[in-house]
Amino acid sequence: MPQATFRTALITGASAGLGEEYARQLAAGGTDLVLVARRLDRLEALAGELQAKHGVKVEALQADLATAEGIVVVERRIANAATLDLLINNSGYGGRTGFVRGETADHLNMVRVHVDATVRLTRAALPGMIDRGRGGVINIASVAAFSPFSGAMYSGTKSFLVMFSQNLQA
């Protein structure tokens, strides 16, 4: 088995798309995983596949990051992760309507998933990574962060992710 660059990675939005691909690539490199998403059936199927194929430990953790409760579940898991050295904040979604036509609750859910969850999970992970002297955080944004034509909420929250990440790096 190839040498792992990371011991354990936690990936939000891991049941599809970029999150799933990160999981596949990291597992192939020997990294143990904690996969987070709303759809437990998809997480468990992916976890079973990656464990069988690559011999890594894979935990499926169901959490809806549009809720305060879901964020707390993941924060607690991070607090108990003695070997976590990679956090991938990938959860997200695009808007379905424009700002004025959309529901305020939907807009605030996007802020909770894109911004609140990213801030809180990053804050939960960094102290342990710093104490262990190793680790990284990947925050998935979008080219929409630089476009005024991708929707006020989507572009706005993705712009936050870019600036937040740049400031953490600095």
Side-chain angles (χ1 to χ4, degrees):
M1 181 161 72
Q3 179 64 35
T5 303
F6 297 99
R7 291 177 66 190
T8 305
L10 186 142
I11 306 168
T12 67
S15 64
L18 286 174
E20 180 180 349
E21 186 59 25
Y22 268 108
R24 291 182 184 286
Q25 295 293 323
L26 288 164
T31 302
D32 293 336
L33 302 170
V34 179
L35 305 178
V36 179
R38 292 171 298 152
R39 297 174 290 206
L40 186 58
D41 59 330
R42 294 182 81 172
L43 286 177
E44 288 176 338
L46 180 59
E49 174 192 334
L50 296 177
Q51 285 174 186
K53 185 174 183 179
H54 301 293
V56 295
K57 296 177 189 171
V58 184
E59 174 186 344
L61 180 63
Q62 184 178 26
D64 182 353
L65 298 181
T67 67
E69 298 80 12
I71 294 172
V72 168
V73 164
V74 182
E75 282 176 315
R76 287 183 181 147
R77 180 60 186 89
I78 289 171
N80 293 319
T83 61
L84 180 70
D85 54 0
L86 181 61
L87 170 64
I88 301 175
N89 288 306
N90 172 67
S91 287
Y93 61 94
R96 295 174 195 91
T97 61
F99 182 75
V100 174
R101 288 187 311 276
E103 296 293 324
T104 301
D106 292 337
H107 298 324
L108 294 176
N109 281 343
M110 185 178 289
V111 171
R112 194 169 296 116
V113 171
H114 293 181
V115 176
D116 290 355
T118 298
V119 168
R120 288 177 57 183
L121 302 184
T122 300
R123 180 63 181 89
L126 284 178
M129 291 178 183
I130 291 167
D131 288 347
R132 290 185 292 278
R134 63 179 279 124
V137 176
I138 297 172
N139 295 322
I140 304 298
S142 168
V143 296
F146 308 102
S147 169
F149 304 109
S150 297
M153 294 309 298
Y154 188 77
S155 290
T157 58
K158 293 301 184 173
S159 293
F160 171 84
L161 291 175
V162 169
M163 191 55 58
F164 177 66
S165 300
Q166 289 175 341
N167 275 271
L168 285 176
Q169 183 181 19

